Amino acid sequence: MPIGVPRVPFQSMGEGHAGWIDIYNRLYRERIFFLGQEVDSEISNQLIALLLYLTIENDTEEMVFLINSPGGWVIPGIALYDAMQLVRPDVHTICIGLAASMGSFLLAGGTITKRIAFPHARVMIHQPASYFFDSQAAEFILEAEELLNLRESITSVYVQRTGKPFWVVSEDMERDVFMSATEAQAHGIVDIVTVK
């Protein structure tokens, strides 16, 4: 039986008694937020807004971004990555299950030395894919060029964030490469694997 989103007591500054808020809002107040689905424009915009709001509220206190995502759309993912780089506070990224495709890109986008994977986490990288194969030839060529540009950008970010040579990252992105937490650490996507 589904229980819905749990609610927890929370007392704001200056209030006499605690009220009940959903657990995610409570965690947001502690600067902890989640990506537990595919990346799309809606969730990307919500997380970007949260990053910006928390930065306005306090631009020195670190944030924690937990990721359990099968990937998703490239452009909203890149927008979220760029926002993570824009904000002043450090952003810890933590893989708590699966960080695949765009999820692994965001995982790598955390503050270097503060990217973490749980011991049983899985990480997967691959090249960006297109969803518009039924377009006409001229449109397909334009889309293929844009896809190559996106692949180049994503590969360059992985190179910068992992310290791996361009050719190694490019070769790995030719196919789905699944990694354990320790393999992701060796690849430079995460810095720390938590202890069991």
Side-chain angles (χ1 to χ4, degrees), residues 99-140:
S101 188
M102 190 47 60
S104 68
F105 184 75
L106 294 170
L107 177 64
T111 302
I112 293 176
T113 72
K114 298 179 180 183
R115 302 169 303 173
I116 301 166
F118 280 14
H120 297 102
R122 302 293 294 169
V123 176
M124 187 270 282
I125 65 171
H126 67 175
Q127 62 185 321
S130 172
Y131 297 104
F132 306 108
F133 291 117
D134 61 347
S135 59
Q136 295 179 352
E139 293 170 352
F140 181 77

Side-chain angles (χ1 to χ4, degrees), residues 109 166 190:
F166 189 91
V190 297

Side-chain angles (χ1 to χ4, degrees), residues 67-161:
I67 301 169
N68 182 20
S69 173
W73 289 71
V74 175
I75 300 301
I78 290 174
L80 180 51
Y81 169 84
D82 285 344
M84 291 167 61
Q85 305 315 302
L86 171 74
V87 297
R88 185 168 178 227
D90 287 347
V91 179
H92 296 251
T93 51
I94 303 174
C95 180
I96 56 168
L98 174 67
S101 188
M102 190 47 60
S104 68
F105 184 75
L106 294 170
L107 177 64
T111 302
I112 293 176
T113 72
K114 298 179 180 183
R115 302 169 303 173
I116 301 166
F118 280 14
H120 297 102
R122 302 293 294 169
V123 176
M124 187 270 282
I125 65 171
H126 67 175
Q127 62 185 321
S130 172
Y131 297 104
F132 306 108
F133 291 117
D134 61 347
S135 59
Q136 295 179 352
E139 293 170 352
F140 181 77
I141 290 169
L142 290 174
E143 183 182 327
E145 288 176 17
E146 181 60 19
L147 206 54
L148 287 173
N149 291 336
L150 286 171
R151 181 195 158 106
E152 182 85 13
S153 293
I154 289 170
T155 304
S156 295
V157 168
Y158 275 121
V159 167
Q160 175 196 12
R161 307 297 295 179

